[in-house]
Amino acid sequence: MHNVTPMLARKEDRDREEPSWSFPGGVVGFAAYWLALAIPFMLYGSSTLFFFLYTWPFFLALLPVSVLVGIASSVLLRGQLIWTILLTTLLVIFLFWLLFTLLSGW
């Protein structure tokens, strides 16, 4: 009869799961999107609403991109939440302002 103990020990080593870093990154990306959306309203006031009235599909398309940026940065940074928040927020604000300036023609 064969000894099965070494096989069981090896199986336990393989079954270790890495922690999932995608969910916190997605949440950070979602929050960064809403923060980036609020910045033009804080700078330009309620007249920004008329600009968004005609260009909302472009800005709505940035929502899944922001979530994916958050997930990617969280995975690349191995779940370090502070750096993930900082990098995701900066990248999403940059993308949002890039689109805003492109559409407004400045």
Side-chain angles (χ1 to χ4, degrees), residues 7-50:
M7 292 176 67
L8 292 175
R10 276 187 262 138
K11 184 179 178 189
E12 290 174 5
D13 291 339
R14 277 187 308 202
D15 288 343
R16 277 192 232 156
E17 293 183 15
E18 300 235 356
S20 175
W21 296 306
S22 60
F23 183 72
V27 171
V28 168
F30 186 75
Y33 172 80
W34 289 107
L35 174 71
L37 185 68
I39 290 174
F41 285 102
M42 289 186 290
L43 291 178
Y44 300 113
S46 61
S47 63
T48 309
L49 184 63
F50 294 112

Side-chain angles (χ1 to χ4, degrees), residues 19-91:
S20 175
W21 296 306
S22 60
F23 183 72
V27 171
V28 168
F30 186 75
Y33 172 80
W34 289 107
L35 174 71
L37 185 68
I39 290 174
F41 285 102
M42 289 186 290
L43 291 178
Y44 300 113
S46 61
S47 63
T48 309
L49 184 63
F50 294 112
F51 178 72
F52 282 145
L53 191 64
Y54 294 107
T55 59
W56 67 267
F58 298 106
F59 293 100
L60 186 62
L62 282 180
L63 180 61
V65 173
S66 302
V67 171
L68 288 175
V69 165
I71 291 171
S73 64
S74 181
V75 168
L76 289 174
L77 293 172
R78 298 273 188 202
Q80 296 177 351
L81 192 59
I82 300 297
W83 290 109
T84 300
I85 291 170
L86 183 65
L87 181 67
T88 302
T89 304
L90 290 176
L91 284 174

